[in-house]
Amino acid sequence: MALTGIEIFKHLPKTNCKDCGYPTCLAFAMKLAAKQASLDACPHASEEAKAFLGAASAPPVRKVVIGAGDAAWPLGEETVLFRHEKKFVNPCAYAIKISDNDPELAAKVKQIADFKVDRVGVHYGANMVAVHDSSGDGAAFSAAVKKVADAAPRLGIILMSRDAQRIGAALSACEGKKPLIYGAAKETLDQILPVVKGKASLVLSAGDLDELSAMAEKAAGSGVEDLILDPMPGNAREALERFTIMRRLAVKKNYKPFGYPLFMNAVHEDAQVEGALATLGTMKYASVIVLGALRSWEMLGLLTSRLNIYTDPQKPMQVDQKIYEMGTVNGDSPLIVTTNFALTYFIVAGEIENSKVPTRLAVQDVEGLSVLTAWAAGKFTAGKIAEFIKESGVEKQLTRKEVILPGYVAVLSGALEDKLGGEWKVVVGPREANQIPQFLKARAKG
Amino acid sequence: MAVEILKEKYTGKVNTVTIGTGDKAMTVGGATALPFHSFEGEAGNRPMIAYEILDMPPEDSPAAQKEAWDAHWGDPAQWARYCQNELSAKAVALRLVSTDPDGKNAGPEDAAETVKKVLAAIDIPLIILGCFKEAKDGQVLKAAADAARGRNCLIGKAQEENYKTIAAAAISNGHKLIAFSNLDFNLSKQINILLTQTGFNINDIVIDPTASALGYGLEYTYSVIERIRAAGLVQNDAMMQPPMLLDLASVVWKVKEVKAGEDQLPEWGNVSERGTHWEASTAVSMLTAGAEILVMSSPKAVQAVEKTLDQLMK
Ligand code: B12
Ligand code: SF4
């Protein structure tokens, strides 16, 4: 949480020596509060002041990294409660739960490790495997953990056990992997802390927030600071409520005991309800979400939810400028222009696909703005469109030199025809993308 | 040490809007806190899901849609009745697609006829949606409002070019109104102001801030909803206090992710489960942000969302 100038001032030497380049300590403190200066500029600041200001400037939610090397997945570092305020920082991780005594363990782990989907140019996969000690047998648990660690080197590992001894043994079976331990309850915290210290991150579970807060303080006090908190909600309302209370205290009050990433067990017997609960967790602050099985359709949806919610509200997603060929195009196929705002592109591309008419889609770089916004900002002009079309060389592939404009920028058609020159003809398309299929089909019929 | 919970102080309240008549009437809204934040205020009424029904068979439709509705296409009255009696629908939303001037271009009288038939078949609340072409909707929704007189329907969508006609028809026939704006916080407020300037009561308005499907701008809708809700509750902005309707059925079932078969994209998984999840997941995001009414299509998705709502309203 941001400090005020006055709060910072209290920790400065108050000598007004000007060595920092500012006339007074207070003036310097104001600059620090506005994040326009760094404490390093004051050569007289005490160690205590450095520690205090260092801690205060750290994000209210601690960064916790699960896994090592290729598998490292950073969590936390969030600074706001709502996406429209500022971009959420570290995307949540989806973990697939698997029992250590599952006879199909090897096959399932391979499936999770190999699982890969491509959607709109982004490659997705699951992030972690959560191995549960269902067997109740320490040796079996360690063996299963080792199998997972070997078979899925790029995934994080969660050791799901409440038994300190089993956890200790399993940790040796995945040395150096920096797994997440799930986890400690109030009764077992003392035994588990020394076992995980320096080797793994730890989930603390308690349904009572006072208890959870006390556990977090105790763990941090003992030097185990890579914590994930599980307020053990019994239903969706409790999940939303507890996550909100905890994250709000962390962000608005810099309440340290809740300044950690949050854990959600979304496993539900009804896979569709599980998908819905996991969506809720994705939207509302959960950083590690455990699912009951790998289901491609559920992963595709959740990974898309995550992609959506962790986008920058100020900086739109973009696609590359180029002419995308959709379907098997020939000389007669239509040529459509649009902008490189990812949303615009996906909607238009989707409708072209729906039309089943092979089409060339010329996507112009306008720094990721929608058609009308780009036009209003002077980035989608006749001159720029003409330049792009000409430089692309698409002309040579066309039998009729015709380009279709989005209906919203019909005003550009005359100027564009002039700029393109020659035999070029500009056709104004419909306004809304959902009318594209009809439009293209009608055009194909001639 | 006891944790001191930080409670938000809300000064506003989401308006309550009742749709329908008799003991099947539904009331939405009423929250005095952000969605499902019952620890610091009233959660208000349970959000309502209305099944979308179409007045003519769709041109093409994803497999899951076909499977669910094939038997009912072409007979909206019987379809509505099926939703009410077999699926325990709380409401239905009749979309008058046949009136689209670029399609079948059916006239307002035909639409009125359909509305009458549907209303005769059900006693649950009815939402009446036009074809979403502003000029035509003006005529069609006027006729529909007349035909539905006395049934306290929710009609829309009123937009900048047609709101005067539609609002007048809603007032004279006792209906509630959907005020549509295109994914913009300020425009959403603007249309409400325009409507109230015609004498329309803000308490009879439902906001449609534009739905987006998961993966297709969901984040924009999500953030606009969150901002509208915060403006109504925290800043006590009276123009931003109507309940919100999200027309999911009109956006979700068009996207590639619900359509592409497993033969095409085996790594995306079972197409029917995928479609169900796509609609349910979009719905849950909207509810989390602040939606009170959802227009949905897949019975399986509705079921999943209702189960989630059971938990959220506990
Ligand atoms: C979000 C938004 C922004 C965001 C930008 C987000 C972005 N990435 O573009 C921000 C806040 C940055 C912004 C800024 C501005 N905006 Co602005 N913005 C909008 C808003 C609300 C939504 C735009 C959007 O995302 N649309 C969704 C996309 C998918 O739509 P689309 O690209 O047009 O694509 C659709 C169609 O065009 C069609 N289509 C696309 N390509 C093709 C191709 C063919 C062939 C066919 C047939 C169809 C087709 O398919 C799509 C779906 O139907 C609109 C209002 C509105 N409701 O449209 C205003 C709007 C576009 N903005 C406007 C303005 C004026 C601006 C600013 C100049 C000033 C301002 N008032 O803030 C700045 C300029 C930015 C700059 N850099 O200088 C005006 C434009 C007015 C006009 N008619 O000229 C609008 C219309 C708002 C208004 N009513 O005043 N804006
Ligand atoms: S250098 Fe340090 S002590 Fe000197 S004026 Fe600046 S803040 Fe104060």
Side-chain angles (χ1 to χ4, degrees):
Chain A
M1 194 190 58
L3 290 172
T4 65
I6 303 294
E7 283 167 320
I8 296 172
F9 172 66
K10 287 183 194 149
H11 296 265
L12 293 177
K14 304 192 189 71
T15 56
N16 302 334
C17 75
K18 302 189 177 58
D19 288 351
C20 56
Y22 294 92
T24 61
C25 292
L26 182 61
F28 180 57
M30 292 300 179
K31 286 287 165 189
L32 284 178
K35 298 203 190 320
Q36 289 163 350
S38 154
L39 185 62
D40 306 340
C42 168
H44 316 292
S46 66
E47 286 310 313
E48 175 272 331
K50 284 180 193 160
F52 171 79
L53 292 175
S57 64
V61 178
R62 185 184 166 86
K63 176 179 183 176
V64 177
V65 182
I66 313 294
D70 277 351
W73 190 274
L75 301 169
E77 295 189 286
E78 302 303 337
T79 59
V80 295
L81 292 167
F82 299 101
R83 175 191 169 271
H84 56 258
E85 297 175 284
K86 205 164 174 223
K87 185 177 190 276
F88 288 148
V89 184
N90 282 313
C92 59
Y94 298 106
I96 311 296
K97 186 175 172 179
I98 189 162
S99 296
D100 65 350
N101 57 0
D102 188 326
E104 290 166 50
L105 181 122
K108 284 188 182 169
V109 173
K110 183 169 165 19
Q111 189 203 1
I112 299 168
D114 292 347
F115 176 72
K116 200 185 86 181
V117 286
D118 294 320
R119 185 184 165 274
V120 302
V122 186
H123 310 293
Y124 299 116
N127 310 112
M128 298 178 186
V129 181
V131 193
H132 186 260
D133 67 346
S134 318
S135 66
D137 170 20
F141 184 50
S142 293
V145 168
K146 182 154 176 28
K147 266 190 215 155
V148 172
D150 292 342
R154 286 170 176 276
L155 299 182
I157 303 176
I158 305 181
L159 307 184
M160 297 187 98
S161 173
R162 300 242 173 237
D163 182 287
Q165 232 170 356
R166 264 177 244 159
I167 293 169
L171 268 173
S172 314
C174 60
E175 193 89 54
K177 294 273 181 190
K178 292 265 174 199
L180 174 64
I181 311 301
Y182 181 86
K186 189 180 170 196
E187 303 72 34
T188 55
L189 186 60
D190 286 331
Q191 292 114 58
I192 292 180
L193 283 176
V195 176
V196 303
K197 192 168 175 174
K199 293 184 190 151
S201 312
L202 177 65
V203 181
L204 306 179
S205 301
D208 179 291
L209 294 187
D210 294 343
E211 202 169 292
L212 192 54
S213 162
M215 286 168 66
E217 283 192 307
K218 185 174 193 181
S222 80
V224 177
E225 291 187 277
D226 286 339
L227 300 172
I228 310 272
L229 305 181
D230 167 27
M232 299 182 79
N235 57 46
R237 203 245 321 137
E238 284 178 3
L240 182 63
E241 179 171 314
R242 290 175 194 179
F243 291 165
T244 301
I245 289 172
M246 293 170 73
R247 184 53 51 85
R248 196 189 277 169
L249 275 171
V251 166
K252 288 196 160 177
K253 291 280 170 195
N254 207 13
Y255 184 71
K256 285 290 163 206
F258 288 162
Y260 298 98
L262 303 172
F263 180 94
M264 182 192 206
N265 183 359
V267 178
H268 194 282
E269 69 216 5
D270 180 334
Q272 286 293 345
V273 175
E274 178 181 295
L277 295 175
T279 303
L280 180 91
T282 304
M283 297 293 142
K284 287 291 169 187
Y285 318 134
S287 279
V288 177
I289 300 177
V290 178
L291 308 170
L294 180 80
R295 303 174 191 95
S296 308
W297 54 266
E298 185 183 13
M299 285 307 294
L300 182 74
L302 290 175
L303 294 163
T304 308
S305 285
R306 182 176 79 190
L307 184 80
N308 281 172
I309 203 71
Y310 283 87
T311 47
D312 192 331
Q314 257 87 47
K315 226 192 291 138
M317 293 221 308
Q318 311 183 13
V319 294
D320 292 337
Q321 161 160 325
K322 72 175 198 199
I323 297 189
Y324 294 79
E325 294 188 352
M326 321 204 44
T328 318
V329 293
N330 61 31
D332 279 330
S333 305
L335 172 67
I336 283 188
V337 267
T338 192
T339 68
N340 77 326
F341 177 31
L343 178 57
T344 302
Y345 167 77
F346 295 138
I347 294 176
V348 173
E351 293 296 353
I352 292 174
E353 268 177 35
N354 285 346
S355 77
K356 303 195 177 71
V357 177
T359 298
R360 290 185 180 83
L361 179 58
V363 174
Q364 168 141 17
D365 181 1
V366 293
E367 292 159 39
L369 295 178
S370 81
V371 167
L372 268 183
T373 315
W375 175 76
K379 295 189 167 106
F380 198 49
T381 61
K384 287 181 181 161
I385 299 171
E387 194 184 308
F388 167 44
I389 300 279
K390 281 188 162 165
E391 282 180 4
S392 74
V394 68
E395 197 159 352
K396 295 192 282 291
Q397 300 165 22
L398 301 179
T399 42
R400 46 173 160 165
K401 296 189 184 12
E402 180 184 285
V403 57
I404 301 164
L405 267 188
Y408 280 115
V409 288
V411 291
L412 293 177
S413 63
L416 181 57
E417 219 157 78
D418 291 346
K419 298 261 179 204
L420 282 167
E423 304 145 34
W424 275 97
K425 198 172 145 240
V426 175
V427 176
V428 175
R431 291 178 150 212
E432 295 301 331
N434 59 14
Q435 292 158 36
I436 289 177
Q438 216 170 5
F439 174 81
L440 288 181
K441 282 182 213 160
R443 183 190 176 279
K445 278 184 208 140
Chain B
M1 188 194 65
V3 177
E4 232 180 281
I5 292 177
L6 181 62
K7 291 191 180 167
E8 183 72 60
K9 287 188 189 57
Y10 302 100
T11 48
K13 181 178 177 181
V14 178
N15 299 341
T16 52
V17 173
T18 300
I19 308 159
T21 54
D23 52 357
K24 297 280 177 61
M26 292 288 296
T27 301
V28 295
T32 60
L34 288 178
F36 315 108
H37 284 40
S38 45
F39 66 98
E40 57 185 8
E42 295 294 326
N45 292 291
R46 180 178 169 122
M48 177 183 95
I49 301 176
Y51 274 103
E52 175 199 56
I53 59 175
L54 309 172
D55 70 344
M56 64 181 263
E59 233 174 67
D60 80 319
S61 204
Q65 294 296 93
K66 204 166 157 55
E67 186 190 312
W69 303 125
D70 202 9
H72 309 284
W73 281 336
D75 189 346
Q78 180 254 336
W79 186 353
R81 203 174 166 73
Y82 172 81
C83 290
Q84 169 180 293
N85 295 351
E86 307 301 322
L87 302 176
S88 315
K90 309 261 175 55
V92 287
L94 168 66
R95 199 185 303 280
L96 298 162
V97 268
S98 72
T99 62
D100 190 335
D102 297 325
K104 200 175 160 201
N105 200 17
E109 326 71 49
D110 296 334
E113 216 35 57
T114 308
V115 167
K116 278 191 189 145
K117 280 189 198 147
V118 169
L119 278 170
I122 56 171
D123 54 7
I124 53 176
L126 179 68
I127 299 173
I128 305 172
L129 303 169
C131 64
F132 206 51
K133 300 274 160 70
E134 290 187 61
K136 187 68 182 282
D137 274 3
Q139 307 162 18
V140 166
L141 292 173
K142 185 184 175 309
D146 290 341
R149 188 183 179 85
R151 289 293 290 268
N152 191 22
C153 297
L154 176 60
I155 67 172
K157 302 163 180 182
Q159 304 186 60
E160 220 172 301
E161 279 171 37
N162 62 20
Y163 72 92
K164 285 185 184 147
T165 331
I166 302 178
I171 294 182
S172 59
N173 293 291
H175 300 302
K176 308 290 167 22
L177 202 61
I178 303 169
F180 177 85
S181 54
N182 206 341
L183 210 57
D184 181 291
F185 177 87
N186 295 313
L187 291 179
S188 154
K189 184 165 168 171
Q190 175 71 14
I191 186 83
N192 289 351
I193 293 172
L194 290 174
L195 279 167
T196 50
Q197 281 169 354
T198 70
F200 203 84
N201 189 339
I202 188 77
N203 291 308
D204 292 337
I205 292 177
V206 168
I207 296 175
D208 177 350
T210 303
S212 317
L214 173 57
Y216 294 83
L218 177 114
E219 69 274 30
Y220 290 90
T221 299
Y222 185 88
S223 287
V224 169
I225 300 179
E226 281 202 329
R227 288 180 57 207
I228 291 177
R229 197 42 90 233
L233 291 173
V234 183
Q235 282 102 286
N236 197 13
D237 182 340
M239 286 299 131
M240 299 273 74
Q241 288 171 340
M244 279 182 270
L245 173 145
L246 274 300
D247 187 357
L248 304 186
S250 68
V251 290
V252 169
W253 294 94
K254 288 200 282 193
V255 309
K256 185 171 171 187
E257 284 77 358
V258 307
K259 287 182 160 180
E262 285 134 86
D263 45 335
Q264 246 176 300
L265 284 157
E267 68 276 17
W268 281 10
N270 183 285
V271 64
S272 156
E273 297 282 7
R274 198 193 318 138
T276 305
H277 174 66
W278 219 261
E279 190 173 32
S281 173
T282 306
V284 167
S285 295
M286 297 299 102
L287 290 170
T288 320
E292 276 83 11
I293 302 176
L294 301 174
V295 176
M296 294 179 63
S297 178
S298 150
K300 285 183 194 152
V302 171
Q303 221 172 55
V305 178
E306 289 288 8
K307 282 186 193 164
T308 310
L309 273 172
D310 288 344
Q311 293 195 20
L312 283 166
M313 295 304 294
K314 256 189 193 140

